Amino acid sequence: MISISKSKRYYQALLGKDSDYEGIFYVGVRTTGVFCRPTCPARKPKFENCEFFATAKEALLAAYRPCQRCQPLSLPNQVSHVIQTLLKAIEENPEKRWKDSDFRKLGIDSATARRQFKKRFGMTFVEYARSRRMGLALKHIKEGNMVIDAQLSVGYESSSGFRDAFSRIMGAPPTHKNHVILKAAWIDTQLGPMIAIADETGLYLLEFIDRRGLEREVERLRKKLKAAIVPGENEILKKIEFEITNYFTGKNLFFETPLHQVGSPFQKQVWEELQKIPTGETRSYFDIAKLIGKPKACRAVARANGTNQLAIIIPCHRVINSNKELGGYAGGVARKQWLLTHEKKIQK
Ligand SMILES: [Zn+2]
């Protein structure tokens, strides 16, 4: 999250079209749903309608689309034909998942697209498309908007794309009563927004919204439970929001929210062991494998660790490599480092 004082400074830079701030921030405009670079020539929005982001990816994940005028995803005057074609294709059909054959149809080589996007935007084309899709799907969760169906079909230039993006990931809104309904809420944290999914009795998922593979995780959960996910609130979501806020402020690092763990007996065994790692400490994959009595199952432990859907609460971030290197983290290694440092500091 960007602080108020920083936002005010950014807003001044925006009014002055200050090119010193190029690449430092992006601004999302709530009234139009577009995001811009600081020097955009378009009429400037009011401060209260601005939302500032450090990266273009964050703006995409918050459901903003790139401004046509200032083209925040390109260096000025340096947009290749390949990139232009692909950006246009995404806006026409944001829920699409891209296969090699789709690139061929547009006469574009997928490796070229990948390389060019990475070079220009610091993310591959597939990551860009996914961020845009997730942003659209998560928009109503962010806004806590309960009314899905009617609202999805109005107010968007690509309403069918938006509806598809939401229902493909979150499940079609329920049409009859005996449908399992899970509620999803958006939680802002110091390390970026998280999504929480729960029913009335427990929490199923807590993840950073830009986590690698989140989309498939949500789908898997939904299909397994034959559920639809709608934006909303319940006691469990209120509780986890409260606890996560306390965790980040350092007031209390412990969680009591009831959990539903969806996984195989082996995965559950690993997750249970993870929860025994004391706050502020780390273990290696090998340590965990030994503790569950399967010292040779290091790789399976690492996999089970990676499939954890309850970030922070089930502390998969406390598992590091045997050589003391951090190892991977689906939410990004920078976050892993932050969480470990935070826990160590607070536990002292
Ligand atoms: Zn603009």
Side-chain angles (χ1 to χ4, degrees):
M1 267 184 296
I2 286 177
S3 68
I4 301 271
S5 63
K6 219 176 218 178
S7 295
K8 288 195 170 145
R9 188 146 43 86
Y10 288 172
Y11 187 67
Q12 288 310 314
L14 183 68
L15 291 181
K17 297 180 191 161
D18 188 343
S19 60
D20 287 356
Y21 283 83
E22 281 286 2
I24 304 293
F25 75 83
Y26 297 87
V27 59
V29 183
R30 292 197 181 92
T31 42
T32 57
V34 304
F35 75 98
C36 292
R37 58 172 80 244
T39 54
C40 183
R43 206 162 62 89
K44 298 300 182 182
K46 289 183 181 155
F47 179 71
E48 60 266 31
N49 293 327
C50 290
E51 193 175 355
F52 294 94
F53 303 96
T55 64
K57 189 172 175 185
E58 286 166 45
L60 290 166
L61 283 167
Y64 291 99
R65 64 179 189 283
C67 169
Q68 299 274 13
R69 289 190 67 183
C70 63
Q71 306 202 344
L73 290 170
S74 53
L75 301 173
N77 311 319
Q78 285 187 10
V79 202
S80 75
H81 175 70
V82 167
I83 288 176
Q84 275 176 15
T85 308
L86 288 172
L87 288 178
K88 195 159 156 262
I90 289 182
E91 289 312 309
E92 278 165 10
N93 194 0
E95 94 283 13
K96 186 187 186 79
R97 287 199 186 156
W98 287 73
K99 300 192 208 76
D100 275 351
S101 57
D102 298 318
F103 290 100
R104 276 200 297 277
K105 261 182 239 160
L106 289 170
I108 289 170
D109 171 43
S110 60
T112 307
R114 189 187 167 79
R115 207 173 42 243
Q116 289 200 6
F117 264 76
K118 187 86 192 167
K119 193 169 162 209
R120 287 280 176 270
F121 315 139
M123 58 184 140
T124 65
F125 173 72
V126 171
E127 281 174 309
Y128 174 89
R130 189 177 56 225
S131 300
R132 181 74 178 119
R133 197 164 62 229
M134 285 303 284
L136 288 171
L138 294 171
K139 186 179 165 69
H140 278 243
I141 289 170
K142 183 181 182 194
E143 291 166 355
N145 198 332
M146 297 282 285
V147 189
I148 306 213
D149 209 32
Q151 303 244 344
L152 285 189
S153 52
V154 295
Y156 287 90
E157 69 278 50
S158 55
S159 62
S160 68
F162 180 66
R163 184 202 301 265
D164 291 351
F166 188 89
S167 57
R168 169 113 42 116
I169 298 169
M170 301 298 165
T175 45
H176 41 83
K177 283 211 171 84
N178 55 0
H179 220 97
V180 179
I181 310 252
L182 304 179
K183 298 251 172 85
W186 179 283
I187 304 175
D188 277 315
T189 80
Q190 265 162 280
L191 295 184
M194 300 183 87
I195 174 177
I197 299 178
D199 64 10
E200 308 290 327
T201 60
L203 183 70
Y204 284 93
L205 182 140
L206 179 70
E207 289 291 0
F208 290 102
I209 61 161
D210 61 354
R211 180 213 152 120
R212 202 168 61 225
L214 174 62
E215 192 173 359
R216 274 173 217 286
E217 245 186 83
V218 170
E219 276 181 339
R220 234 185 342 253
L221 175 68
R222 182 169 67 70
K223 282 183 180 149
K224 191 146 191 174
L225 301 173
K226 298 190 173 57
I229 299 170
V230 300
E233 268 300 344
N234 62 30
E235 290 310 310
I236 299 290
L237 290 171
K238 278 183 209 153
K239 189 166 171 66
I240 192 57
E241 184 168 5
F242 178 73
E243 290 187 343
I244 274 290
T245 306
N246 282 344
Y247 173 90
F248 276 99
T249 57
K251 212 166 162 189
N252 182 1
L253 299 179
F254 298 92
F255 296 93
E256 289 172 352
T257 302
L259 308 177
H260 290 301
Q261 298 182 32
V262 182
S264 69
F266 177 80
Q267 286 173 318
K268 286 182 186 166
Q269 204 184 355
V270 172
W271 297 336
E272 199 177 309
E273 208 54 51
L274 297 180
Q275 287 177 276
K276 294 182 196 158
I277 307 174
T279 310
E281 293 184 23
T282 54
R283 296 285 181 273
S284 71
Y285 297 106
F286 184 50
D287 292 333
I288 301 293
K290 277 190 294 192
L291 283 166
I292 61 169
K294 293 179 178 126
K296 286 184 181 149
C298 254
R299 295 183 79 128
V301 165
R303 267 199 305 278
N305 197 59
T307 54
N308 170 35
Q309 303 194 317
L310 293 156
I312 300 177
I313 305 175
I314 295 182
C316 57
H317 60 279
R318 291 182 203 146
V319 186
I320 62 172
N321 291 342
S322 298
N323 62 8
K324 300 279 172 198
E325 276 172 19
L326 269 188
Y329 189 58
V333 177
R335 283 200 183 109
K336 187 174 186 173
Q337 180 69 69
W338 191 97
L339 295 170
L340 291 174
T341 309
H342 178 64
E343 291 180 356
K344 221 173 246 164
K345 196 171 69 197
I346 304 297
Q347 272 309 90
K348 263 184 190 158

